[in-house]
Amino acid sequence: MDNISRLMFAVVMAMAYMAMGAEAQNTTMDPNSTMASNVTTAPVVNTTATAPTVEILTAECGNSQLCASEPSECNPALAGSCFFISTQQTSGQNISFQLRGVSSGYIAVGLSTDNKQGGNDTTYVCANNNGKVKFFTALLDNTVLTIISTLPVNSVKGSVNGQIIQCTFSATVPKATVTRSPNTSFYLSISNGTFMNDTLGSPKNFLFSKEAVDLADPNAKVTNSLNSAPSGHAFGLSQALLILLGVMML
Ligand SMILES: *[C@@H]1O[C@H](CO)[C@@H](O)[C@H](O)[C@H]1NC(C)=O
Ligand SMILES: *[C@@H]1O[C@H](CO)[C@@H](O)[C@H](O)[C@H]1NC(C)=O
Ligand SMILES: *[C@@H]1O[C@H](CO)[C@@H](O)[C@H](O)[C@H]1NC(C)=O
Ligand SMILES: *[C@@H]1O[C@H](CO)[C@@H](O)[C@H](O)[C@H]1NC(C)=O
Ligand SMILES: *[C@@H]1O[C@H](CO)[C@@H](O)[C@H](O)[C@H]1NC(C)=O
Ligand SMILES: *[C@@H]1O[C@H](CO)[C@@H](O)[C@H](O)[C@H]1NC(C)=O
Ligand SMILES: *[C@@H]1O[C@H](CO)[C@@H](O)[C@H](O)[C@H]1NC(C)=O
Ligand SMILES: *[C@@H]1O[C@H](CO)[C@@H](O)[C@H](O)[C@H]1NC(C)=O
Ligand SMILES: *[C@@H]1O[C@H](CO)[C@@H](O)[C@H](O)[C@H]1NC(C)=O
C-alpha cells in the first residue's frame, strides 16, 4: 500500500467510525435508576398520583401498546433526545398514555381529528414545574394552547430528570368524528414548548402522524409526516459501504 492509499484508508475508516458514533445513543443513564418524582396535577378529575416513579419502556410496543417516537425507534429509557409516546386502550374511549420527551418547559401529546393541527385539538401537557411534573389538559387553537379543566384524566404520574420529562396518565379521549373509525383514531402529535409564569408557549412538533392512527391498536404503524431524514436502515447501509470501501483499498 502506498502512502496515498494508507491516508485514504485512514480517512475512510475515521468517517465510518464517526458515523457509527453519531448513531449510537448516549447510554450513560442507568435504565434501572429510579427517578425522583413529585407530581402536581392541575385541572384533572382524579389527581391521585400513585407510585412515585415513572419508567417508560418499549417492552410492550406491538404487544399491548401502540408506540411512536422521533427519532423512530429511539429508546426512551436512555439519555438523549427521544420523543416517545405509547398508548393502550383500557376500555372504550379510555386510553392510558406514556409520554417521554426533552424540554426545559413542557412536552405534550396532541390528538387531532384531521390532518391539520390547531382546530381545538385535545392536548395533554406535562410541564416541568421546578423539577416536578405539573399536568394540564388543553386545547390547541391555531398555535395557542388554552388550558381547560374539563377533560377527564386520572392516574397522573411524572418525573423530571434534567431536560427529560416522563409522565403517564389515563384519559377518556373524545370520540373521533364520524369520519374516523374506530372512535379512538387520531392524528397523533408529540411536541415541546416553554413553560414560564404558568404560561404554555406555542408547541413545536417533533412528530405528527401521516395518517390517523387507532390508539387502541398496538400494531398500527405511525409514520412521522415531519421526518424527511433517511431511515436508520439506509444509514447502516452507507456505513457498511464505507467500511467495504476501506477494506477494498487495503
Ligand atoms: C451522556 O449523558 C450524561 C448524563 O445525562 C451526560 O452527563 C453526558 O454529557 C452525555 N454525553 C454525551 C456524549 O452526550
Ligand atoms: C435492572 O433490573 C432488573 C430487574 O429488577 C435486574 O434483573 C437487572 O439486573 C437490573 N440491571 C441493572 C444494570 O441493574
Ligand atoms: C412532593 O412534594 C411535597 C412538597 O414539595 C412533599 O411534601 C411531598 O412529600 C413530596 N412527595 C413525594 C412523593 O416526593
Ligand atoms: C373510563 O374512565 C372513567 C374515569 O375513570 C370511568 O368513569 C368510565 O366508566 C370509564 N369508561 C369505560 C367505558 O370503562
Ligand atoms: C425541545 O426539544 C428540542 C430538541 O430536543 C430542544 O432543542 C429544545 O430546546 C426543546 N425546547 C424546550 C423549550 O426545551
Ligand atoms: C376553539 O374554541 C374556541 C372557544 O370555544 C372558539 O372560540 C374557537 O373558534 C375554536 N376554534 C376552532 C378552530 O374551532
Ligand atoms: C383515582 O385514581 C386512583 C389511582 O388510579 C384510584 O385508586 C382511585 O380509585 C381513583 N379515584 C376516583 C375517584 O376515581
Ligand atoms: C363509536 O361510537 C359510536 C357512538 O357512541 C358507537 O355507536 C360505536 O359503536 C363506536 N364504535 C366503536 C368501534 O367503538
Ligand atoms: C415572567 O414574570 C416575570 C415577573 O413577573 C417577568 O419579569 C417576566 O417578563 C415574565 N416572563 C414571561 C416570559 O412572561
Side-chain angles (χ1 to χ4, degrees), residues 1-9 249-250:
M1 221 163 46
D2 63 22
N3 281 342
I4 300 221
S5 308
R6 264 181 238 278
L7 184 66
M8 285 185 63
F9 176 63
M249 286 169 74
L250 273 169

Side-chain angles (χ1 to χ4, degrees), residues 98-145:
Q98 294 78 41
L99 178 64
R100 187 269 196 208
V102 180
S103 181
S104 56
Y106 70 84
I107 57 172
V109 53
L111 306 180
S112 184
T113 51
D114 55 29
N115 66 1
K116 263 184 57 205
Q117 266 186 300
N120 281 338
D121 298 335
T122 296
T123 308
Y124 303 106
V125 180
C126 298
N128 175 351
N129 190 39
N130 302 319
K132 295 166 189 175
V133 166
K134 189 166 184 175
F135 185 85
F136 298 99
T137 57
L139 295 180
L140 182 65
D141 188 13
N142 291 318
T143 59
V144 177
L145 279 171

Side-chain angles (χ1 to χ4, degrees), residues 59-90:
E60 284 305 309
C61 293
N63 294 323
S64 63
Q65 297 178 347
L66 166 73
C67 298
S69 66
E70 178 55 39
S72 67
E73 313 210 356
C74 60
N75 188 341
L78 304 179
S81 187
C82 173
F83 289 83
F84 177 89
I85 178 89
S86 59
T87 63
Q88 181 170 4
Q89 184 182 41
T90 49

Side-chain angles (χ1 to χ4, degrees), residues 76-234:
L78 304 179
S81 187
C82 173
F83 289 83
F84 177 89
I85 178 89
S86 59
T87 63
Q88 181 170 4
Q89 184 182 41
T90 49
S91 61
Q93 298 299 113
N94 287 356
I95 306 279
S96 73
F97 289 82
Q98 294 78 41
L99 178 64
R100 187 269 196 208
V102 180
S103 181
S104 56
Y106 70 84
I107 57 172
V109 53
L111 306 180
S112 184
T113 51
D114 55 29
N115 66 1
K116 263 184 57 205
Q117 266 186 300
N120 281 338
D121 298 335
T122 296
T123 308
Y124 303 106
V125 180
C126 298
N128 175 351
N129 190 39
N130 302 319
K132 295 166 189 175
V133 166
K134 189 166 184 175
F135 185 85
F136 298 99
T137 57
L139 295 180
L140 182 65
D141 188 13
N142 291 318
T143 59
V144 177
L145 279 171
T146 304
I147 295 167
I148 58 160
S149 54
T150 50
L151 300 179
V153 172
N154 66 27
S155 311
V156 178
K157 292 189 236 168
S159 57
V160 176
N161 183 359
Q163 297 257 99
I164 296 173
I165 301 175
Q166 303 189 77
C167 62
T168 64
F169 53 92
S170 258
T172 307
V173 299
K175 281 223 163 92
T177 56
V178 282
T179 57
R180 297 275 152 234
S181 180
N183 296 332
T184 47
S185 291
F186 298 93
Y187 289 83
L188 193 61
S189 70
I190 310 177
S191 57
N192 77 4
T194 58
F195 180 59
M196 278 164 128
N197 296 352
D198 266 337
T199 303
L200 302 170
S202 286
K204 178 180 189 320
N205 274 344
F206 291 87
L207 180 143
F208 188 67
S209 68
K210 204 170 180 179
E211 315 280 346
V213 287
D214 183 2
L215 304 182
D217 177 5
N219 294 311
K221 285 277 163 283
V222 182
T223 307
N224 188 357
S225 66
L226 309 174
N227 191 355
S228 53
S231 73
H233 186 71

Side-chain angles (χ1 to χ4, degrees), residues 36-39 52 132:
S37 111
N38 206 326
V39 180
K132 295 166 189 175

Side-chain angles (χ1 to χ4, degrees), residues 45-50 154-156:
V45 169
N46 183 348
T47 59
T48 312
T50 47
N154 66 27
S155 311
V156 178

